[in-house]
Amino acid sequence: MKRYLTGIDWIIHTINHINKKKIGAGNMFQIVLQMEGALDETTLRECLNKFIKKFPVLNGRSMRDYNLAPYWKIYSKEKILPPNIRIYHLDDNATFSKVISTLEQGINIPFKNVRKHLAFHLIYAGKTSFLAVVFDHCLFDARGAEVFLNMLQQEQKKKTDYSNKISLAESAHLCKWKEKFEAGKWVNRKLLQLSENKVRTLPLDTSSNKKIFKFKIISLDERQTSAIIKTAYNKAGYLMFMPYTLAISIQVLHSIFTKRGICTGDYIIPASIDTRPVEKVAQEVFFNHMSFFLLKVKANEADSFSVILQSIKQQIYDQIKADLPADIEKASLLMRIAPLPVLGCLMRLPLKGQIASFCFSYIGEAAYDSPMFMEKKIHNIFHMPRVPIPPGCGIFFNQFQGKLNVTFSYLDGMLEEDEIDSIVHTLQSGLGV
Amino acid sequence: MNKMTAADIEETLIQEVAVILAVDSSTISSSTPLHTLGIDSFGFVELLVFIEKTFNLKLIESGLTKEDFQTIHLLASYISRMS
């Protein structure tokens, strides 16, 4: 069985290829469930083994069809590989930073087999347990992975089979060429506008192919989160939370660039968006279903928060009006003809060797909608994504039951300790906490 | 073209919000806050673009205050006043 890959899927495969080549592990993502009490290891293993057997797509791999379209080969159910589950026991009084450093081990372990795309890490730390789900971004996006966990929870609770509600249908998209080339023309024009000046980036040392990603997580409670949303609505306008968090992120990293004396070039940020309604997410669990805004903040605008905010709002407005996210989806279908190493080079051409200044996403409320996981109350869900190289760092916002989490992800060695502390501190002060 | 009434504007906005959320328009109440309906930053900007195309009003440049924009009813009243 096969599932054709979209252009966005192929871009994600390319990023995976580049990351593997440069630092030994691909474009992986980790979702962490923080639970009250000890999650039962035997129950988890039994449920996962049973559940995963229903989804042969989890052990697929990319191939190219006779019509040259790339696809995901799905093997028979008999050939399903069991999921890796690693268990860690920390001290009863282990600090959150100790938990994070244990979680960092999990997200930095490369998948050993081309057909393995999923791993689980269960950490016991006193009265709390953490279940980390590491997945290959080629297989899921973050919302898809949360829905997958949701299905696992629902199935365990209600014993209902959700596997037949999932759609894996995707056409090869080998028609409407004029429309795709037209979309490509508009995307190319946008990229030319963005490449007017150099892209401002932090230097990356990828001399060793064993570099790991490190993380800082800021978790806020419901009271703090609603205060931040209220401030965002006052400063940026009603529902303008995503532009507000992006403006804060730009100012935070701008201070680091400035202190380093990196003062030339503009900030280029691809902000990912999922344009699907919620019920569609429940059907399209696997693969990537997002597009991007391509945002630019000029060097001379980055000192003023209100100027950055206004500029981002206007660019998002203009790009939605021009249908840029849809054009990116259509145009990217043309790029599937290029083999991954070639596309890796092509993607860096328009911005003269760079892709972005940093990565950003605001995912919003979690697609995982139960307060429990296998009889345990979930205290929080946070994200730990590895980031494309370049740029090697990113700021990500997600919410679980009205609680905001901010994740700063960076390649080890690209920032000094005092710079990392400064980023955390300025993120907190920018959010008013 | 005759000027639309606030009620007509409200109905037009309900239809568009239903398109953005991919739901039946009968499930949308004009007095429910947009964030409760499930509209996020992206959906809201889509709605603002629709308003510009339909009513020739560029609201992104206004303050987008919660008092004027929180519900479809308030938004329709605002558009009616401005157009």
Side-chain angles (χ1 to χ4, degrees):
Chain A
M1 191 182 161
K2 68 179 80 159
R3 190 267 188 191
Y4 284 108
L5 298 174
T6 64
I8 299 291
D9 282 323
W10 201 236
I11 289 174
I12 299 290
H13 277 254
T14 307
I15 292 168
N16 191 47
H17 170 83
I18 296 171
N19 277 21
K20 271 186 186 170
K21 202 174 146 199
K22 295 225 178 220
I23 53 165
N27 187 27
M28 292 135 68
F29 201 113
Q30 180 165 263
I31 288 180
V32 183
L33 274 61
Q34 181 179 355
M35 289 163 286
E36 286 176 14
L39 183 70
D40 186 65
E41 184 191 330
T42 314
T43 312
L44 176 71
R45 282 187 190 278
E46 283 172 2
C47 285
L48 273 176
N49 283 332
K50 212 169 100 190
F51 188 65
I52 278 173
K53 278 183 187 152
K54 295 178 183 173
F55 299 98
V57 65
L58 293 169
N59 285 144
R61 62 176 299 188
S62 63
M63 299 187 117
R64 209 175 265 283
D65 210 354
Y66 69 93
N67 58 18
L68 298 181
Y71 71 93
W72 190 257
K73 181 173 171 62
I74 302 170
Y75 295 88
S76 66
K77 285 190 178 184
E78 292 72 41
K79 291 185 178 171
I80 287 186
L81 307 168
N84 284 349
I85 306 173
R86 287 190 190 210
I87 312 293
Y88 305 77
H89 291 274
L90 304 184
D91 290 344
D92 284 359
N93 52 359
T95 58
F96 189 62
S97 60
K98 175 67 189 161
V99 173
I100 293 295
S101 69
T102 309
L103 288 165
E104 282 172 350
Q105 290 176 34
I107 182 66
N108 284 302
I109 300 171
F111 293 114
K112 292 275 189 293
N113 183 314
V114 286
R115 285 182 51 212
K116 282 224 167 188
H117 311 282
L118 195 60
F120 295 84
H121 300 263
L122 178 56
I123 301 169
Y124 294 107
K127 290 177 180 166
T128 310
S129 46
F130 296 81
L131 177 67
V133 185
V134 182
F135 57 92
D136 182 343
H137 215 318
C138 297
L139 184 67
F140 293 123
D141 54 30
R143 286 180 87 188
E146 284 184 347
V147 173
F148 184 73
L149 285 174
N150 215 27
M151 286 172 4
L152 174 63
Q153 158 66 9
Q154 294 296 328
E155 189 158 315
Q156 199 252 346
K157 200 173 103 190
K158 295 179 191 165
K159 317 283 180 209
T160 319
D161 186 355
Y162 284 84
S163 57
N164 55 1
K165 294 182 180 161
I166 305 298
S167 166
L168 286 173
E170 188 70 49
S171 94
H173 296 284
L174 297 173
C175 56
K176 297 183 184 169
W177 292 105
K178 198 180 164 197
E179 192 181 289
K180 291 181 185 67
F181 280 106
E182 187 72 13
K185 183 179 83 182
W186 293 114
V187 174
N188 202 36
R189 284 186 188 175
K190 185 72 209 167
L191 287 170
L192 283 172
Q193 273 177 24
L194 294 175
S195 64
E196 193 180 35
N197 291 319
K198 212 178 137 194
V199 182
R200 195 178 289 205
T201 53
L202 287 166
L204 278 176
D205 173 17
T206 52
S207 53
S208 153
N209 71 350
K210 293 277 183 243
K211 285 262 179 190
I212 60 163
F213 270 92
K214 301 199 85 173
F215 299 85
K216 292 287 171 189
I217 316 271
I218 302 168
S219 292
L220 304 166
D221 62 27
E222 283 164 284
R223 186 188 55 79
Q224 289 170 315
T225 303
S226 49
I228 294 165
I229 292 173
K230 195 175 169 191
T231 310
Y233 287 4
N234 286 335
K235 285 189 180 175
Y238 180 53
L239 286 173
M240 291 291 117
F241 196 54
M242 180 272 204
Y244 180 75
T245 50
L246 176 54
I248 289 173
S249 305
I250 291 169
Q251 280 235 301
V252 166
L253 290 174
H254 176 60
S255 65
I256 300 296
F257 280 86
T258 309
K259 279 181 201 158
R260 285 255 189 127
I262 304 169
C263 297
T264 54
D266 297 327
Y267 292 101
I268 304 290
I269 311 108
S272 60
I273 46 151
D274 187 334
T275 56
R276 294 169 299 165
V278 177
E279 68 270 24
K280 207 132 192 240
V281 181
Q283 293 158 10
E284 298 174 337
V285 177
F286 299 102
F287 305 100
N288 288 274
H289 304 274
M290 58 190 177
S291 191
F292 301 94
F293 293 116
L294 300 173
L295 304 169
K296 168 174 170 173
V297 173
K298 289 187 177 168
N300 59 0
E301 293 175 340
D303 286 319
S304 163
F305 183 75
S306 58
V307 173
I308 298 174
L309 193 54
Q310 193 53 41
S311 167
I312 293 168
K313 281 165 59 181
Q314 190 62 51
Q315 288 180 67
I316 290 175
Y317 187 83
D318 293 341
Q319 291 184 17
I320 289 181
K321 197 172 164 187
D323 233 357
L324 185 75
D327 280 345
I328 291 174
E329 280 181 62
K330 285 177 206 158
S332 63
L333 289 161
L334 297 170
M335 295 156 81
R336 296 179 303 167
I337 193 68
L340 298 176
V342 176
L343 186 54
C345 296
L346 290 176
M347 273 166 55
R348 294 174 66 159
L349 278 181
L351 300 178
K352 300 171 185 76
Q354 299 298 337
I355 291 177
S357 300
F358 65 95
C359 295
F360 170 88
S361 78
Y362 169 73
I363 295 178
E365 189 60 37
Y368 187 92
D369 62 5
S370 168
M372 309 292 283
F373 183 78
M374 294 188 180
E375 317 293 319
K376 297 293 166 208
K377 185 170 188 275
I378 303 175
H379 177 66
N380 200 359
I381 294 180
F382 53 90
H383 293 177
M384 296 172 71
R386 286 166 64 93
V387 176
I389 294 174
C393 67
I395 299 179
F396 306 90
F397 291 78
N398 80 297
Q399 278 188 58
F400 176 67
Q401 294 182 343
K403 291 177 280 193
L404 184 70
N405 293 297
V406 191
T407 302
F408 177 59
S409 166
Y410 60 98
L411 191 66
D412 192 23
M414 75 181 289
L415 292 157
E416 301 293 335
E417 280 305 315
D418 61 328
E419 291 176 321
I420 297 157
D421 291 343
S422 162
I423 287 169
V424 173
H425 179 72
T426 43
L427 265 172
Q428 285 170 324
S429 58
L431 291 166
V433 292
Chain B
M1 191 176 106
N2 290 335
K3 194 183 170 204
M4 286 173 91
T5 64
D8 294 337
I9 297 169
E10 195 171 296
E11 187 49 39
T12 309
L13 293 178
I14 286 174
Q15 297 300 330
E16 182 58 19
V17 170
V19 170
I20 292 168
L21 293 173
V23 296
D24 193 297
S25 59
S26 63
T27 63
I28 293 175
S29 157
S30 65
S31 56
T32 307
L34 292 171
H35 63 271
T36 311
L37 289 173
I39 294 266
D40 57 7
S41 303
F42 177 72
F44 188 56
V45 177
E46 272 188 298
L47 185 61
L48 296 179
V49 168
F50 171 80
I51 290 167
E52 186 190 341
K53 287 178 179 170
T54 313
F55 305 106
N56 205 20
L57 281 174
K58 212 171 176 181
L59 299 183
I60 190 76
E61 287 161 4
S62 72
L64 302 176
T65 59
K66 201 173 170 184
E67 292 69 34
D68 286 327
F69 291 81
Q70 195 177 10
T71 65
I72 291 173
H73 179 73
L74 290 170
L75 190 49
S77 310
Y78 184 84
I79 294 168
S80 178
R81 284 201 307 275
M82 300 297 285
S83 54

